[in-house]
Amino acid sequence: MNDERFDVAIVGAGFCGTMVAVQLLRSRKHSLSIALIEKSADCGLGLAYRTEDPQHLLNVVAGRMSAFPEDPDHFLNWLAGQAIVAEFGSFVPRMVYGRYLKSCLSDAVANARAFHRIEFVCAQVTSVDVVVDGARLTLSGSEREQLLSQRVVLALGNMPPRAPRPFAEGQIELMEFRGKAPTTRAVLLVGAGLTAVDAVLSVSASQPEAKIY
């Protein structure tokens, strides 16, 4: 058990959790100790930018995807530095944007070492309890059993979807689409949003003969 106390604990390191950490690290108002807690090994990717399929594109043009409102060309300049050709109106792969977010976090950590302290904790938070002067976070999947923090930021992202009731009884193989196409002769997509578009692109490219409903 480790009773070390942090000023801020951020639960989740997708886009929102990562950018909260970046903005705190860029601030010089107060020196902070920060715990960034993520159950996967990668910070900055989340579900949206974890895809490895280059066909999965951002749904906003590159010129409007800067992580920093005060520097609207930041993403475009980063792309140029990576030798990636893109214009203001380009739709770049989401996997590239994930690399951009990781780069933003890495730069913020490097520039704040003398002022702030950040620790990356690979764990799942199973509970948050209010205690004197803050909160106690109970962890699983880590050598730490708990973590104490004065403030807690919940950046949990989208909750896993529930299977429609007729399909929840083992009659059909259910998958939550996470960027890789299933190997099958027929796919039923429940929902018609951006994730469904991603699934159609992935299935069509890897299995042209597959039927998509």
Side-chain angles (χ1 to χ4, degrees):
M1 185 175 294
N2 192 328
D3 290 335
E4 180 183 10
R5 182 181 294 273
F6 291 85
D7 295 311
V8 183
I10 304 170
V11 182
F15 175 84
C16 292
T18 295
M19 287 311 302
V20 169
V22 168
Q23 293 293 358
L24 289 175
L25 290 168
R26 284 162 59 97
S27 171
R28 291 296 187 271
K29 292 182 180 179
H30 305 285
S31 179
L32 296 171
S33 58
I34 304 164
L36 183 56
I37 309 168
E38 169 61 44
K39 63 183 178 180
S40 70
D42 284 320
C43 293
L45 301 183
L47 182 59
Y49 308 119
R50 192 174 300 280
T51 176
E52 298 176 359
D53 191 333
Q55 296 185 99
H56 298 167
L57 306 180
L58 294 172
N59 64 332
V60 177
V61 295
R64 300 193 184 280
M65 287 298 292
S66 170
F68 306 103
E70 71 278 10
D71 186 359
D73 293 331
H74 190 269
F75 181 45
L76 287 174
N77 291 335
W78 180 86
L79 289 170
Q82 301 293 308
I84 298 173
V85 178
E87 300 175 350
F88 184 95
S90 300
F91 291 90
V92 303
R94 290 210 305 272
M95 59 191 289
V96 171
Y97 197 74
R99 284 164 43 200
Y100 167 65
L101 293 176
K102 293 179 72 171
S103 174
C104 290
L105 179 59
S106 178
D107 290 346
V109 170
N111 293 330
R113 287 192 192 281
F115 196 78
H116 299 299
R117 179 176 66 86
I118 184 167
E119 182 174 337
F120 299 96
V121 181
C122 185
Q124 183 167 4
V125 177
T126 58
S127 67
V128 179
D129 299 296
V130 176
V131 297
V132 176
D133 295 330
R136 179 191 296 112
L137 290 77
T138 303
L139 310 177
S140 69
S142 168
E143 292 182 358
R144 291 177 181 268
E145 294 179 7
Q146 67 179 30
L147 182 150
L148 302 174
S149 182
Q150 188 175 357
R151 296 176 178 85
V152 178
V153 176
L154 298 179
L156 306 179
N158 294 322
M159 295 295 102
R162 291 185 177 181
R165 188 171 295 173
F167 300 142
E169 301 171 1
Q171 300 170 344
I172 190 170
E173 181 185 0
L174 291 172
M175 292 183 62
E176 180 185 351
F177 182 71
R178 292 184 174 272
K180 293 187 177 180
T183 302
T184 182
R185 290 178 297 176
V187 179
L188 168 64
L189 299 180
V190 181
L194 292 173
T195 303
V197 174
D198 288 345
V200 169
L201 290 170
S202 293
V203 172
S204 298
S206 63
Q207 300 165 80
E209 304 303 318
K211 234 177 210 185
I212 302 173
Y213 298 94

